[in-house]
Amino acid sequence: MASMNCNYYSFSLKHNVVINIIIPTPEGNEQITSEETKKAYPYEAGLPVLYLLHGAYGDHSSWMRFSNIERYAQKHCVAVVMASADNSFYQDMYCGNQYYTFFTEELPAFVQSIFPVSKRREDTFVAGLSMGGYGAWFLGLSKPEQYAKAASLSGALDLEMAYEQTRVIDDGAPFHWNRIFKDPTAIKGSDADLMTLYDRCEKAGNLPELYFACGTEDFVYDMNTSIKTQLEERSSKAVYVEGPGQHDWYFWEAYIQKVLQWMLPV
């Protein structure tokens, strides 16, 4: 596969950004030993593309550093795009950067213009861990016409609960809630509330497929089971998976493979 580190100026963020891109190769084998290996790259139709989101304290390099995402991208023949969002919960911040606009508008337009990826909804996916698990569902449910599937690993899927759990922490808190939202106490029922977005998509008949997984020893486990209950009450077809594990890369490394199998079976 090809792995690229790309620097460019973001007009929505108003500063230079770094993104990581993985492009699988046709033969699917890094150990090329045959002289008959094809040299053509038949990407005219465009590769399926996964926007892979990091968690709090992470950045565009997290998945590359701590997982074998390159190998899995090659196996499933999917392009993978990774960019940074600080600790923004992928929002257009009240006082800060416009990350929602960047991830849903500018980044896809840039990637589609430079790399051999599909522009079709059925080939476009989003996934993430922790804060990025919320982000994946948030982007998917906010722009259901853009993403076919959205997957969360150990996601902070109940933002109101996440706020209540962390708002009393001072400088050590990962989230500056008053910079992200004009009124963090009004998250429930707003455009940042996943269940509100879910109901809106369901009513419009354009829900993306949803997947979420969490370790049974994870501190966000209760948050995920609460969302599971709320989705069951809605007779949702969202896929929920749990197993032994904590909020760490051992769990995410194992379950990103399950996510890719769900998105792009091989």
Side-chain angles (χ1 to χ4, degrees):
M1 81 284 293
S3 175
M4 288 161 276
N5 186 274
C6 180
N7 298 260
Y8 76 100
Y9 180 80
S10 165
F11 290 96
S12 55
L13 300 180
K14 297 179 175 59
H15 59 71
N16 287 320
V17 297
V18 182
I19 63 174
N20 281 331
I21 308 283
I22 299 168
I23 302 293
T25 50
E27 291 302 310
N29 183 0
E30 290 298 289
Q31 304 299 321
I32 297 175
T33 57
S34 172
E35 293 182 359
E36 297 179 358
T37 298
K38 296 179 182 178
K39 296 181 180 180
Y41 288 77
Y43 293 154
E44 290 84 359
L47 288 163
V49 57
L50 168 63
Y51 293 89
L52 191 55
L53 312 183
H54 65 80
Y57 300 116
D59 62 16
H60 66 279
S61 71
S62 296
W63 282 98
M64 296 289 286
R65 292 168 61 204
F66 301 119
S67 80
N68 285 309
I69 188 61
E70 284 188 79
R71 192 153 49 87
Y72 308 144
Q74 181 65 66
K75 176 181 177 181
H76 292 273
C77 198
V78 59
V80 180
V81 180
M82 294 153 283
S84 299
D86 294 327
N87 289 348
S88 67
F89 272 101
Y90 297 86
Q91 303 290 316
D92 277 350
M93 299 173 69
Y94 172 63
C95 183
N97 283 320
Q98 306 298 289
Y99 284 110
Y100 172 72
T101 298
F102 172 70
F103 274 88
T104 62
E105 297 179 18
E106 182 180 323
L107 182 61
F110 177 79
V111 169
Q112 291 166 7
S113 68
I114 301 295
F115 300 98
V117 303
S118 172
K119 297 181 180 180
R120 296 173 298 182
R121 176 186 186 266
E122 59 265 33
D123 295 328
T124 305
F125 314 106
V126 60
L129 64 89
S130 193
M131 181 191 75
Y134 165 87
W137 276 28
F138 171 64
L139 300 186
L141 293 170
S142 297
K143 292 275 191 177
E145 72 281 2
Q146 193 162 313
Y147 305 97
K149 297 182 179 183
S152 165
L153 299 179
S154 311
L157 298 180
D158 188 328
L159 210 56
E160 182 185 34
M161 187 183 298
Y163 169 65
E164 290 298 325
Q165 290 175 350
T166 61
R167 66 187 178 91
V168 297
I169 306 174
D170 294 324
D171 292 339
F175 310 114
H176 297 287
W177 294 102
N178 290 313
R179 298 181 187 176
I180 301 173
F181 301 103
K182 183 176 182 179
D183 182 4
T185 66
I187 291 173
K188 189 173 181 63
S190 74
D191 288 345
D193 178 16
L194 294 180
M195 289 300 94
T196 296
L197 294 173
Y198 180 95
D199 291 340
R200 188 180 300 164
C201 289
E202 186 176 47
K203 184 177 181 180
N206 62 348
L207 270 170
E209 294 183 50
L210 299 174
Y211 177 106
F212 60 128
C214 192
T216 50
E217 290 75 48
D218 197 316
F219 63 84
V220 297
Y221 177 71
D222 290 344
M223 191 181 298
N224 279 257
T225 55
S226 173
I227 294 295
K228 175 177 178 288
T229 298
Q230 294 179 59
L231 290 172
E232 288 173 344
E233 292 170 351
R234 291 164 166 80
S235 299
S236 172
K237 295 181 180 179
V239 176
Y240 174 71
V241 182
E242 65 176 47
Q246 301 183 40
H247 205 78
D248 58 31
W249 281 100
Y250 295 105
F251 185 85
W252 303 325
E253 168 71 10
Y255 277 79
I256 190 59
Q257 299 175 67
K258 299 178 188 292
V259 165
L260 286 168
Q261 184 62 32
W262 169 74
M263 287 181 170
L264 294 157
V266 294

